[in-house]
Amino acid sequence: MYLEKVNSPADLKKLSIKELEKYAQEVRAYIIEVVNKNGGHLSSNLGAVDFTIALHYVFDCPKDKIIFDVGHQSYAHKIITGRRDEFKNLRMPGGITGFENMHESECDAFSTGHSSTSLSVGLGLARSRDLSKEKYDVISVIGDGALTGGMAYEALNDIGASQTKMIIILNDNTMSISKNVGAISTYLGKLRLSKRYKALKTTFRSGMDGMPIVGPSVVNVFERIKSWVKGQFWTNKMFEQFGIKYYGAFDGHNLRECIKMLMQIKKIQQPVILHLTTHKGNGLYEAEQNPEKYHGVEGKKELSKKYSEIVGEKLNEMIAKDEKVVCATAAMLSGTGLSVVHEKYPDRCYDVGIAEQHAVAMCAGLSAGGYKPYFAVYSSFLQRAYDQLLHDVCLNNLPVRFLIDRSGAIGADGVTHQGLYDISYLNSLPNMTVLSPANGEELARMMDWSLDFNGPLAIRYPKGYTLDGKEYVTEDPLRWEVVHNKSDNVYVLAVGNRMLDIAKNSLCVLVNARSVKPLDMYFLDKINKEGNLIITLEDGIVSGGFGESVLSALNAVGKVCRVVNLGFEGVCDDLSVSGAFDSNGLTAKNLDKIIQEHLKV
Ligand SMILES: Cc1ncc(C[n+]2csc(CCOP(=O)(O)OP(=O)(O)O)c2C)c(N)n1
């Protein structure tokens, strides 16, 4: 087994091409084995194994810096760079993370998780290298999906103008999570298929096949490629217009070809893009046939319904009923539950690419045009659209509805995907209303209610299953509701099903605080009495969160009760939801301790 022999990139460099090809197969098999057990990004990683091996064959980590965009395709990189054995604990508590992470290894040049950052970060690293007169290579690996994100073009604009030496690997598998969308995707398709280009590539291949990997003759290939590529004026237009040398498209699964190309472009003293075509799921039949299903694989399945399923069903129902309802996703059709809507109403459900900022402003436009837009988005990805939320939606008080999935602690996807900040950033937005349903039933009711709501509205719910089948009776989502009454003077205001679950057996008046903003002041006024303890529970950061707004609202009217805010502090890198709750005191045990202490006083 070569897998056991390679403990570092240096070991990899000792292998022949044939051996590297066998090693690639073993790495793929190992990834399949671990992801089947632990969950994770399967198809993206299977497609990235070959060129990742080529990268480590040609470059020297950690001296050279490789930034994997999103970082979800960096499993082979982790295995090659000394984390083979730890890889067994991928995404497990205490184990290694599912994305590139600079706190995990010196070979991870940067921490990633959100899309389309690698070109900007790469340029920053390359500029710092030049300023400090150091010598190393910077390689940004970006997918065709990530290339739909606007930030990538801001970076290309800067990279082209500055002519800073850096290498961009475009990993083009024609897929984002679902089929990639948009004009850029069509353009890449043309690059791949250009007849003129194909002819050139065949000539190039036949020239390359007989050559040794290293040796003086290879150096000349570079000049030959240059003149060939110069000849093909159409295919390289866009990137070359940015001032960036373009080479492609080459087969990202042909190790020999990848290695040779990388050796050549390494010598170029200006920014360069190497366009590689790959197959998502490469080497695993099921994943090749259905790359979307195998993009993210879940460890175990549960039985009850997911919040995202309710969103999809409800939107279909609402679109059928109301001709003004439309919805959008930023490349997350399946994750947000919108696949079923897109299938049924393709012209009322927009997949805009990995472009959350654009999605929010586009929805503001739809709203200004008299439509009722719903943007279904993950909590952590909406973060980057803060200005569009404020400038385009909230300052104009436009009724755009945000269906915010994956709010709260996220578990195995880790630190970059935590949905812990939404209450805090939404709280700061004028005119914004924020709701958090206690179960799927309540989410469906809130969606119905939202149809005629006349301002910006966010409904936030966690990843996964709706669990609690309890009927909550209050019809008005802006009012809180008592769930159980087991105390005279201790009130627990819980946001969302997971927080309600923590307090379900505690000796308190348990309140479903479904309206996070505005607060139910009628309810709060009633319980603001001397001797009362109010504990707020939220699946988010305390700073700027629900608890703090309860506290400041009570201060404003003359607070006489005691208030304790429970929630998250600082950075949360726990890879399990329960671990995250434990380390932040969000447990029944801690809650009961606080209640007991209060009762003793
Ligand atoms: C800002 C942001 N939005 C959404 C996502 C979710 N996401 C993770 S991977 C991915 C698709 C990336 O496609 P591509 O770059 O082509 O990589 P592939 O998986 O196809 O190799 C998406 C949308 C994200 N990570 N960041």
Side-chain angles (χ1 to χ4, degrees), residues 44 72 113 115 143-146 173 175-176 280 295 332 354 356 381:
S44 316
H72 64 307
S115 177
D144 57 303
N173 54 25
M175 298 285 296
S176 192
K280 216 162 168 166
H295 176 92
M332 302 301 290
I354 311 179
E356 289 80 4
F381 303 149

Side-chain angles (χ1 to χ4, degrees), residues 4 7 30 79 82-90 96:
E4 278 144 31
N7 294 306
Y30 185 37
I79 293 168
R83 284 166 280 179
R84 180 197 53 226
D85 295 338
E86 291 94 324
F87 187 71
K88 285 199 179 76
N89 294 323
L90 174 76
I96 67 165

Side-chain angles (χ1 to χ4, degrees), residues 83-291:
R83 284 166 280 179
R84 180 197 53 226
D85 295 338
E86 291 94 324
F87 187 71
K88 285 199 179 76
N89 294 323
L90 174 76
R91 294 162 52 93
M92 304 299 278
I96 67 165
T97 61
F99 299 89
E100 196 175 15
N101 185 335
M102 63 205 291
H103 304 293
E104 194 174 281
S105 162
E106 57 172 358
C107 289
D108 288 6
F110 205 76
S111 302
T112 53
H114 287 198
S115 177
S116 319
T117 64
S118 66
L119 304 186
S120 306
V121 171
L123 180 60
L125 283 166
R127 278 185 168 141
S128 58
R129 170 201 62 203
D130 295 348
L131 284 170
S132 50
K133 303 203 176 354
E134 288 179 80
K135 289 235 169 310
Y136 56 82
D137 280 300
V138 175
I139 306 107
S140 297
V141 177
I142 186 164
D144 57 303
L147 206 61
T148 60
M151 216 179 135
Y153 296 88
E154 297 174 28
L156 286 174
N157 187 40
D158 195 3
I159 291 167
S162 75
Q163 287 298 298
T164 305
K165 174 178 162 59
M166 66 180 280
I167 294 168
I168 300 167
I169 307 290
L170 171 56
N171 168 22
D172 178 8
N173 54 25
T174 76
M175 298 285 296
S176 192
I177 290 179
S178 311
K179 191 85 196 125
N180 202 8
V181 294
I184 294 300
S185 173
T186 312
Y187 173 76
L188 293 180
K190 284 188 190 158
L191 279 186
R192 283 190 302 270
L193 292 177
S194 153
K195 274 196 191 134
R196 187 183 166 90
Y197 156 70
K198 270 194 167 167
L200 283 166
K201 207 167 70 164
T202 314
T203 324
F204 170 70
R205 276 233 184 86
S206 52
M208 264 192 130
D209 279 350
M211 290 182 148
I213 291 240
V214 243
S217 57
V218 173
V219 180
N220 301 329
V221 174
F222 167 55
E223 287 310 317
R224 278 162 52 201
I225 301 167
K226 242 174 50 175
S227 56
W228 285 338
V229 174
K230 261 191 195 150
Q232 44 157 339
F233 55 90
W234 183 82
T235 55
N236 55 24
K237 215 171 180 177
M238 185 184 94
F239 298 111
E240 299 263 327
Q241 293 297 318
F242 271 101
I244 301 170
K245 283 262 161 231
Y246 168 88
Y247 296 104
F250 294 100
D251 178 0
H253 298 302
N254 183 329
L255 267 167
R256 181 179 286 273
E257 195 165 293
C258 286
I259 289 173
K260 282 183 175 173
M261 280 311 298
L262 289 171
M263 282 177 156
Q264 299 312 316
I265 61 171
K266 187 177 152 85
K267 298 178 190 142
I268 301 176
Q269 296 303 315
Q270 68 179 90
V272 51
I273 290 187
L274 176 62
H275 182 179
L276 298 177
T277 56
T278 57
H279 303 291
K280 216 162 168 166
N282 188 50
L284 180 66
Y285 181 76
E286 304 91 291
E288 282 180 31
Q289 295 306 307
N290 194 347

Side-chain angles (χ1 to χ4, degrees), residues 447-464:
M447 286 178 70
D448 276 334
W449 176 86
S450 71
L451 254 183
D452 297 314
F453 187 71
N454 207 20
L457 172 70
I459 308 178
R460 66 181 297 272
Y461 39 90
K463 176 179 174 158

